[in-house]
C-alpha cells in the first residue's frame, strides 16, 4: 500500500447491479423517488483501450466508494472490479489506458494541517487484471521544504508503449550540513515509464509554470507562465510561449490578462500538429470566439468560429492524440460544428439511430475504428455506447442512472420572460409529466457559479421536483456566463441587484402567466444558486414562500476570507470587490429581511464554500426568531457525492416545501 494513497481491491459485479435496477418497479412514493433520483451517477467516467478490446469504467459503488471496472468488449461477461476509493478522504477521479493492459488513474485526497483541510492529488498505474499497482507521482523525501499537493497530470502519451508524458511539481529539498540539496521548484514535465517508474526530465521546472500543451505526438509545444507577486500570490497575467516544430527554443505566443471581471487575450486550448496551429478562445468583440494561431514563427491568427448571440463553448477532441475535430456552443441546446467531414457524417447517422439525443464522442481506440459515445436528453439521463465503424454496430455499455430507467421524466423546454426593465431573459421550464401547466406549485431554481449557465438536458434536482408535481423554472439571469460581456455584467455578486432582480422576475412571470399558484411559489438553489435563493428576499420578502439553499454563499467578506490561504486570493478579492454591495449583497447581513422559512444543507468538508457560511446564516435567522433548519453532512464536500445524503436532501426538501406551502405530503 502506498503512503498517502488509500485504495482497495474489491470484487463487485457492476453489470449485475445495473441489471437489478433496470428490472426494478418504478418508484412511486416520495421516499422511493428521493432514493432513485438521489443515487450518484452509476458511471462517472469511461475510456477504451488502444486496441478497442476493453473499456474501463469508474462507477458508483457501495456507500461513497468509486470502483474501477474493466469490461471485455470482445468476450463480454461481467465487468471486473480491480480498484476502489473509499470516498472518505480519497476519490478516484479518472482512469485512462496507457497500453492495452495498463491504466493510469488520478486520485484526489484530503488531509488536514490542524487548521484547515488541504486537497491534493496522486497518480497511480495498475494492470487491467488488478496487479502491479504503483504510484506514478514522483516521491519527495523527508527533506522536502513543503508539501506537494500537485500529483501531476497527463500531458500526452510518450510514443513508446507504456510511456506517459506527465507534469511534475518540484519542491525544494534541504540536506543535513548543507543549505539546500535541490533548488528545483515549480512545474515541469517528465517522461514516465508506467511499468518500471523510470523517468526522464523533458521540461525543466519553471517556478511560475501553470500549464503545458503537447501536439498529441509527445512534443510539448506550449507553456503557460503565471508570475507571482512579491507576496507569493498569483499575478493577473498568464504569459504563453510556443515552439516551432523544428526548435526547442521558446518564443512569445500571447499574454492573457485575467482582470477582476474580464479576461483578455488568446487562451490556448490544443495544438494541431498536422496544421501546425494552436486552437484557443479569445473575446475580441464582446463574445468568446474560436481562433487558431500558426506556430510557424509568423503567428498568423485566423478566426475559426464565432456566434453573434453566445460564446463559443469548447473544443471537440477525439482519440488518443486528442485531435481537434470541432467545437461546441450553447443556445437553447448544445450545438456542435465538426471540422472533420467523416465525423460530421457519422454524427448525423447516429442522430437518426438515437433521435432527440445529444451525442458526445467520449473516447476512441488508437485506430479510431471503435468509438465510445454518450447520448442523453432531457427525458433520458444518458447511456454510454460502443460504436464499431467497421461493422456499424451500436451497442449499449451501461446507463448512467439505471435506477431511473423505469421512471417517466419530464420534458424541458426553452422559454423566455420579461425582466422589470424590459430585458428578455432566457430560461428553461420543466412541467410535471401530464400537467396542463396551470396554477401549479412552482420552484425557481437559479444556477450556481455565478459564472455558469444551465443547458438543456437531464438534471436530477429538476426532474425530482417535477416528479413530485412541481413546475421548475431555471432562469439564465444577467450575470450568467455564455452570453457575452454585456450579459455577464460585473458578475453576479457585484451586480447582484440585476442578477437577483432577474431571478425574482422569473417568479413574477410564473404568477402572471398563470403557471404558478402564488401561495405555492418557492426557490431552491445550490452554491451561488443558494446565495440567490436567500438574497431574493432582500429585494422582495414576500415573493417566495419557502427557501432551500444548498452550500450557499451567505457573506461576501467571509467568502473572501476563505481564499486568504490560497495563491488566487487577489483574484477572488478583486472578483468580490469592495463597495456597498458587499454588505447589501450578503444575505447574512440582511437576515431581518428574510421572512420565508429557510432550509439549509451543507457538507462539513466543503472547500468551495465553507460550512461556516451556512452556520452564520442559520445563527442570524434564529437570533431574529426566523424559521430555519441547517442539515450538516459529515465528511462531504461541495458536491455532496453520496447517494444516501442526496436522497435525504431530496426527501427533506420536498417535505419542507410542502409543509411550508400547505401542500399534501
Amino acid at each position: 500500500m502506498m503512503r498517502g494513497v488509500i485504495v482497495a481491491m474489491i470484487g463487485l459485479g457492476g453489470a449485475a447491479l445495473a441489471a437489478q435496477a433496470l428490472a426494478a418497479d418504478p418508484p412511486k412514493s416520495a421516499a422511493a423517488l428521493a432514493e432513485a433520483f438521489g443515487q450518484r451517477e452509476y458511471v462517472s467516467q469511461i475510456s477504451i483501450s488502444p486496441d478497442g478490446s476493453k473499456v474501463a469504467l469508474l462507477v458508483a459503488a457501495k456507500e461513497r466508494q468509486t470502483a474501477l471496472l474493466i469490461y471485455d468488449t470482445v468476450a463480454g461477461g461481467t465487468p471486473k472490479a480491480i480498484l476502489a476509493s473509499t470516498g472518505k478522504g480519497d476519490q478516484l477521479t479518472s482512469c485512462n489506458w496507457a497500453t492495452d493492459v495498463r491504466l493510469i488513474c488520478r486520485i484526489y485526497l484530503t488531509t488536514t494541517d490542524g487548521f484547515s483541510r488541504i486537497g491534493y492529488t496522486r497518480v497511480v498505474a495498475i494492470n487491467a487484471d488488478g496487479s502491479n499497482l504503483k504510484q506514478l507521482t514522483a516521491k519527495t523525501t523527508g527533506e522536502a521544504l513543503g508539501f506537494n499537493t500537485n500529483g501531476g497530470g497527463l500531458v500526452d502519451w510518450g510514443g513508446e508503449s507504456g510511456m506517459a508524458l506527465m507534469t511534475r511539481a518540484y519542491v525544494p529539498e534541504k540536506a543535513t550540513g548543507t543549505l539546500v540539496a535541490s533548488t528545483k521548484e515549480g512545474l515541469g514535465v517528465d517522461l514516465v515509464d508506467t511499468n518500471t517508474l523510470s523517468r526522464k526530465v523533458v521540461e525543466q521546472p519553471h517556478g511560475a509554470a501553470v500549464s503545458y500543451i503537447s501536439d498529441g505526438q509527445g512534443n510539448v509545444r506550449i507553456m503557460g507562465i503565471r508570475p507571482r507577486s512579491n507576496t507569493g500570490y498569483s499575478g493577473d497575467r498568464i504569459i504563453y510561449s510556443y515552439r516551432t516544430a523544428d526548435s526547442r527554443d521558446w518564443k512569445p505566443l500571447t499574454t492573457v490578462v485575467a482582470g477582476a471581471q474580464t479576461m483578455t487575450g488568446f487562451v490556448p486550448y490544443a495544438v494541431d500538429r498536422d496544421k501546425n496551429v494552436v486552437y484557443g478562445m479569445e473575446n475580441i468583440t464582446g463574445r468568446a470566439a474560436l481562433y487558431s494561431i500558426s506556430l510557424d514563427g509568423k503567428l498568423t491568427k485566423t478566426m475559426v468560429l464565432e456566434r453573434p448571440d453566445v460564446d463559443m463553448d469548447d473544443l471537440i477532441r477525439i482519440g488518443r492524440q486528442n485531435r481537434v475535430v470541432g467545437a461546441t456552443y450553447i443556445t437553447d441546446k448544445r450545438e456542435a460544428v465538426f471540422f472533420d467531414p467523416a465525423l460530421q457524417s457519422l454524427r448525423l447517422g447516429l442522430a437518426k439511430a438515437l433521435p432527440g439525443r445529444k451525442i458526445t464522442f467520449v473516447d476512441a481506440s488508437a485506430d479510431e475504428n471503435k468509438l465510445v459515445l454518450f447520448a442523453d436528453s432531457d427525458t433520458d439521463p444518458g447511456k454510454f455506447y460502443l460504436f464499431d465503424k467497421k461493422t456499424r454496430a451500436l451497442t449499449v455499455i451501461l446507463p448512467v442512472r439505471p435506477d431511473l430507467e423505469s421512471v417517466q421524466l419530464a420534458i424541458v423546454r426553452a422559454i423566455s420572460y420579461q425582466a422589470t426593465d424590459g430585458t428578455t431573459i432566457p430560461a428553461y421550464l420543466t412541467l410535471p409529466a401530464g400537467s396542463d401547466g396551470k396554477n401549479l406549485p412552482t420552484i425557481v431554481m437559479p444556477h450556481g457559479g455565478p459564472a455558469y449557465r444551465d443547458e438543456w438536458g437531464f438534471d436530477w434536482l429538476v426532474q425530482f421536483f417535477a416528479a413530485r408535481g412541481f413546475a421548475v423554472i431555471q432562469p439564465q439571469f444577467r450575470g450568467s456566463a455564455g452570453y457575452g460581456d454585456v450579459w455577464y455584467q460585473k458578475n453576479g455578486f457585484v451586480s447582484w441587484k440585476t442578477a437577483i432582480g432577474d431571478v425574482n422576475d422569473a417568479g413574477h412571470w410564473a404568477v402572471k402567466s398563470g403557471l404558478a399558484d402564488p401561495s405555492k411559489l418557492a426557490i431552491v438553489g445550490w452554491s451561488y444558486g443558494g446565495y440567490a435563493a436567500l438574497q431574493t428576499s432582500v429585494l422582495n420578502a414576500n415573493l417566495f414562500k419557502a427557501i432551500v439553499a444548498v452550500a450557499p454563499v451567505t457573506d461576501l467578506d467571509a467568502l473572501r476570507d476563505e481564499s486568504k490561504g490560497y495563491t488566487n486570493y487577489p483574484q477572488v478579492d478583486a472578483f468580490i470587490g469592495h463597495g456597498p454591495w458587499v454588505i447589501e449583497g450578503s444575505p447574512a447581513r440582511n437576515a431581518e429581511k428574510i421572512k420565508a422559512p429557510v432550509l439549509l444543507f451543507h457538507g462539513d468538508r466543503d472547500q468551495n464554500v465553507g460550512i461556516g457560511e451556512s452556520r452564520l446564516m442559520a445563527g442570524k435567522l434564529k437570533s431574529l426568531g426566523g424559521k430555519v433548519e441547517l442539515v450538516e453532512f459529515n465528511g462531504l464536500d461541495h458536491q455532496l457525492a453520496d447517494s444516501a445524503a442526496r436522497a435525504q436532501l431530496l426527501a427533506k426538501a420536498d417535505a419542507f416545501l410542502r409543509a411550508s406551502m400547505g401542500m399534501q405530503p
Side-chain angles (χ1 to χ4, degrees), residues 86-170:
T86 68
K88 300 176 181 178
D90 64 298
Q91 194 65 265
L92 274 168
T93 58
S94 66
C95 288
N96 294 282
W97 295 90
T99 68
D100 293 329
V101 297
R102 194 151 177 78
L103 301 104
I104 64 172
C105 298
R106 187 176 177 88
I107 304 172
Y108 179 77
L109 305 104
T110 57
T111 187
T112 179
D113 62 0
F115 299 97
S116 60
R117 189 160 296 278
I118 301 171
Y120 64 102
T121 60
R122 293 296 181 260
V123 180
V124 300
I126 188 171
N127 287 343
D129 62 2
S131 64
N132 198 22
L133 175 66
K134 293 181 178 180
Q135 179 172 307
L136 293 185
T137 298
K139 296 180 180 179
T140 55
T141 70
E143 305 300 322
L145 297 175
F147 180 66
N148 186 5
T149 60
N150 183 351
L154 179 66
V155 177
D156 201 350
W157 301 113
E160 298 180 25
S161 179
M163 304 299 289
L165 208 60
M166 295 178 57
T167 57
R168 175 181 176 181
Y170 287 77

Side-chain angles (χ1 to χ4, degrees), residues 313-333:
D313 184 66
D314 201 1
L315 295 177
I316 303 172
R317 287 175 269 193
I318 195 169
R320 289 180 65 76
Q321 284 71 46
N322 275 320
R323 67 185 183 96
V324 178
V325 296
T328 65
Y329 59 90
I330 310 170
T331 52
D332 291 342
K333 296 182 179 180

